[in-house]
């Protein structure tokens, strides 16, 4: 595997389910990101982790819970979601968080549908 | 708050021709970074080009170049000799000088026609 991978690629869940999205980066980066891409809305930054420490939480509802056990893996735990949470969830990584010039590398995304 | 506006939801261009995608932004920062990212259909988003605000020279990457007008807060992307593989959603994005977090525009769908 190379770059940034995400699993599953597609997920359908009911509002009472608990599921997790997984992201893995094979680039040796120190920063990882979760973005939400909804139809007809700009990408929204959700969370940022730098060296496994959460450094940004963009007023995301508590039904989304991130976890970064090491610098290569990032999870997004989902619980009691709403239909409006249906979206493409993108993971990204960059060399570090401090230097804004660094390119962010994106995964293919998980297409989430909440019924 | 920083905002990024892309006023063209969709554009189309003939193969081999030139197209310009518009982007404006609002910030009170003096130094920052601007990016264009490309998201091809069902494929991963990739960086096309980036610009540091304190550099007056416009960035270029092969067929891609930008027209950066700092005073006007404008950052347009020019694609020369358009190719079918350029068909994608293009996002303009802003980042502060420190802290690598991106603020994206709504995107422009570009279709290259043969």
């Amino acid at each position: 595997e190379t770059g940034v991978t995400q699993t599953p690629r597609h997920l359908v869940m009911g509002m009472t389910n608990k599921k997790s999205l997984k992201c893995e980066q094979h680039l040796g980066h120190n920063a990882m990101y979760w973005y939400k891409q909804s139809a007809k809305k700009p990408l929204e930054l959700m969370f940022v982790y730098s060296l496994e420490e959460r450094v940004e939480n963009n007023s995301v509802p508590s039904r989304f819970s991130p976890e970064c056990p090491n610098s290569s893996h990032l999870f997004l735990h989902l619980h009691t979601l709403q239909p409006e949470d249906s979206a493409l969830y993108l993971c990204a990584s960059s060399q570090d968080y401090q230097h804004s010039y660094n390119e962010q590398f994106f995964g293919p995304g998980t297409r989430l549908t909440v019924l | 708050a920083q905002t990024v506006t892309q006023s063209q939801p969709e554009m189309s261009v003939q193969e081999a021709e030139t197209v310009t995608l518009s982007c404006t932004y609002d910030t009170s920062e003096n130094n920052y970074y601007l990016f264009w990212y490309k998201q091809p259909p069902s494929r991963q988003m990739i960086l096309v080009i980036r610009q540091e605000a304190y550099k007056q020279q416009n960035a270029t990457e092969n067929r891609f170049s930008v027209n950066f007008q700092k005073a006007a807060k404008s950052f347009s992307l020019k694609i020369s000799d358009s190719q079918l593989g350029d068909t994608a959603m293009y996002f303009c994005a802003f980042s502060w000088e420190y802290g690598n977090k991106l603020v994206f525009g709504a995107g422009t769908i570009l279709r290259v026609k043969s």
Side-chain angles (χ1 to χ4, degrees):
Chain A
E1 294 279 14
T2 59
V4 181
T5 58
Q6 291 186 243
T7 55
R9 296 293 308 275
H10 299 272
L11 178 62
V12 179
M13 59 187 289
M15 290 193 288
T16 58
N17 291 157
K18 288 184 181 180
K19 296 286 184 183
S20 296
L21 310 185
K22 178 183 176 182
C23 174
E24 184 173 2
Q25 58 95 0
H26 310 265
L27 301 167
H29 289 166
N30 291 322
M32 296 188 77
Y33 310 78
W34 279 117
Y35 289 90
K36 176 182 179 182
Q37 186 175 17
S38 307
K40 299 182 181 179
K41 287 180 68 176
L43 276 84
E44 302 169 76
L45 178 66
M46 300 176 71
F47 301 104
V48 182
Y49 277 82
S50 175
L51 295 170
E52 302 143 49
E53 178 182 343
R54 192 190 309 179
V55 294
E56 290 283 342
N57 177 348
N58 260 13
S59 303
V60 180
S62 60
R63 58 185 183 269
F64 294 92
S65 174
E67 178 190 4
C68 188
N70 55 63
S71 59
S72 297
H73 293 87
L74 185 65
F75 294 89
L76 188 62
H77 304 299
L78 314 173
H79 173 56
T80 320
L81 294 193
Q82 304 297 313
E84 59 265 29
D85 297 322
S86 298
L88 182 67
Y89 288 84
L90 294 173
C91 174
S93 70
S94 67
Q95 183 61 51
D96 58 50
Y97 175 66
Q98 290 79 6
H99 299 98
S100 298
Y101 193 74
N102 287 333
E103 176 181 357
Q104 291 190 19
F105 292 80
F106 286 81
T110 294
R111 174 70 62 186
L112 174 67
T113 303
V114 182
L115 301 177
Chain B
Q2 276 61 226
T3 58
V4 177
T5 302
Q6 293 180 249
S7 59
Q8 305 151 315
E10 296 187 28
M11 294 189 72
S12 62
V13 63
Q14 285 297 127
E15 202 174 3
E17 293 188 347
T18 296
V19 64
T20 299
L21 308 184
S22 301
C23 173
T24 59
Y25 59 94
D26 188 24
T27 184
S28 58
E29 303 288 323
N30 187 50
N31 197 28
Y32 46 87
Y33 298 92
L34 297 164
F35 305 83
W36 280 98
Y37 278 85
K38 167 186 176 181
Q39 188 177 38
S42 302
R43 291 176 60 190
Q44 288 164 246
M45 187 139 60
I46 58 173
L47 177 67
V48 175
I49 198 166
R50 57 190 154 189
Q51 174 83 38
E52 296 179 67
Y54 70 86
K55 288 188 176 178
Q56 293 187 339
Q57 186 173 9
N58 289 324
T60 61
E61 288 286 345
N62 301 313
R63 298 182 296 106
F64 299 89
S65 62
V66 298
N67 183 2
F68 174 49
Q69 302 290 326
K70 191 173 184 180
K73 296 181 182 175
S74 171
F75 183 61
S76 60
L77 174 69
K78 185 172 83 170
I79 306 174
S80 304
D81 186 25
S82 297
Q83 301 175 1
L84 295 178
D86 296 333
T87 292
M89 175 82 92
Y90 286 81
F91 292 98
C92 179
F94 168 99
S95 182
W96 288 258
E97 183 175 13
Y98 299 105
N100 193 347
K101 53 180 183 176
L102 297 171
V103 176
F104 284 90
T108 296
I109 298 172
L110 176 67
R111 295 187 177 87
V112 181
K113 300 178 179 179
S114 58

